[in-house]
Amino acid sequence: MLTFVLPIYSIDKNMISCKNITKRFGNLEVLKGIDLSVSQGEIVAIVGPSGAGKTTLLQIMGTLDKPDTGEIRYENMNINQLRDKELAAFRNKNIGFVFQFHQLLPEFTALENVMIPALIGNKKFSEAVKQAKEILDFLGLSDRLEHKPAALSGGEKQRVAVARALVNRPLVIFADEPSGSLDTQNKEELHRLFFDLRKQFNQTFVIVTHDEELAKLTDRIIHMKDGKIGKDFG
Ligand SMILES: Nc1ncnc2c1ncn2[C@@H]1O[C@H](COP(=O)(O)OP(=O)(O)OP(=O)(O)O)[C@@H](O)[C@H]1O
Ligand SMILES: [Mg+2]
């Protein structure tokens, strides 16, 4: 029985796995052989000094950039083998992003901003409206649907950005300094939201952060320095 159970656990364990990821920009070796796995439902923090390569790693794990060498697998799929168009479709369906500055489109309302990834994913307009409203409602924004970003507070803008990341029910959300531009109260609310989303939807997060309070709350802290990860850093 045990031999049967163990392999199933190990598949679940490595929802995302990176093997020996390297990346250089010109002469600068930014990632020097990163091995990292993330399980479903896990909230992982990546911490480390400025220039350590955190954003570069997040962008590569999130398929926005390509490694020079190494392999990235989502469940059992090697994404290095996907062509650009397939990769874009994979990203739209499976990956959500939250950045330090919300990056909402200023000409569109909160509802429209959240609908866009669903429409790109070929959802019917009515279905996109429904899904966007549901998720905005869950994030306590149902009375802000028609506001454009300029008419939202910093905390509200960031919650709309989280809603946009969630609308296609992605496997994983990558967040790069998500609370870096928020005041203490909004920051704490956003952090609480991540853990609520994990509880409700088993949502997986990989979060780059300088915020020690947030890092301490996560399941695992990955320390990064000079393009490497290791327990001894930080
Ligand atoms: N597109 C690029 N072209 C050239 N160099 C780059 C590029 N992107 C990043 N770098 C360099 O790679 C190194 C790592 O950058 P990265 O943005 O990953 O760091 P970081 O750990 O996210 O830092 P921070 O905490 O300041 O955001 C830095 O020295 C940076 O200048
Ligand atoms: Mg960065």
Side-chain angles (χ1 to χ4, degrees), residues 9-223:
Y9 180 70
S10 71
I11 291 167
D12 190 36
K13 183 95 184 125
N14 295 330
M15 188 178 82
I16 308 168
S17 49
C18 303
K19 280 208 186 96
N20 198 25
I21 302 295
T22 69
K23 180 79 176 174
R24 26 169 88 239
F25 293 115
N27 286 334
L28 188 68
E29 207 180 349
V30 178
L31 300 178
K32 300 173 182 166
I34 302 283
D35 292 311
L36 175 60
S37 296
V38 178
S39 313
Q40 188 171 20
E42 207 179 8
I43 302 186
V44 176
I46 301 179
V47 304
S50 182
K54 306 182 296 297
T55 294
T56 306
L57 176 61
L58 207 72
Q59 302 252 336
I60 288 175
M61 288 178 81
T63 76
L64 290 173
D65 200 354
K66 291 193 168 151
D68 294 335
T69 65
E71 184 182 282
I72 300 169
R73 282 180 176 272
Y74 275 75
E75 290 171 340
N76 285 324
M77 187 165 54
N78 182 344
I79 59 159
N80 304 42
Q81 288 164 352
L82 298 181
R83 292 188 210 136
D84 285 353
K85 223 172 156 184
E86 294 166 326
L87 194 60
F90 176 85
R91 187 185 311 125
N92 171 262
K93 187 170 185 291
N94 295 301
I95 301 175
F97 294 96
V98 180
F99 302 99
Q100 176 171 3
F101 301 101
H102 54 81
Q103 299 195 349
L104 299 174
L105 298 173
E107 298 303 319
F108 292 90
T109 65
L111 179 63
E112 289 163 345
N113 265 283
V114 176
M115 286 170 64
I116 289 168
L119 293 173
I120 291 172
N122 288 327
K123 283 268 155 60
K124 277 198 296 190
F125 193 86
S126 58
E127 188 60 23
V129 171
K130 185 168 165 276
Q131 271 180 242
K133 279 188 173 170
E134 267 173 22
I135 203 79
L136 283 159
D137 187 39
F138 182 81
L139 303 194
L141 290 161
S142 42
D143 57 351
R144 295 287 185 276
L145 302 182
E146 301 305 326
H147 290 55
K148 290 185 178 169
L152 296 166
S153 75
E156 286 169 344
K157 279 192 272 242
Q158 209 50 331
R159 273 187 286 149
V160 173
V162 173
R164 178 185 54 185
L166 278 166
V167 72
N168 287 338
R169 305 283 153 92
L171 280 175
V172 57
I173 290 184
F174 292 101
D176 197 349
E177 303 284 355
S179 49
S181 61
L182 299 178
D183 63 30
T184 307
Q185 189 191 336
N186 281 307
K187 188 193 287 199
E188 284 170 4
E189 275 175 23
L190 184 71
H191 297 168
R192 212 170 306 131
L193 176 61
F194 293 154
F195 291 87
D196 286 350
L197 290 167
R198 189 255 291 270
K199 205 163 152 194
Q200 286 274 338
F201 306 120
N202 201 30
Q203 181 66 54
T204 309
F205 288 90
V206 180
I207 309 172
V208 167
T209 186
H210 284 115
D211 190 282
E212 285 185 17
E213 297 301 313
L214 171 58
K216 268 191 264 171
L217 293 172
T218 63
D219 303 321
R220 186 153 57 103
I221 302 180
I222 312 275
H223 293 275

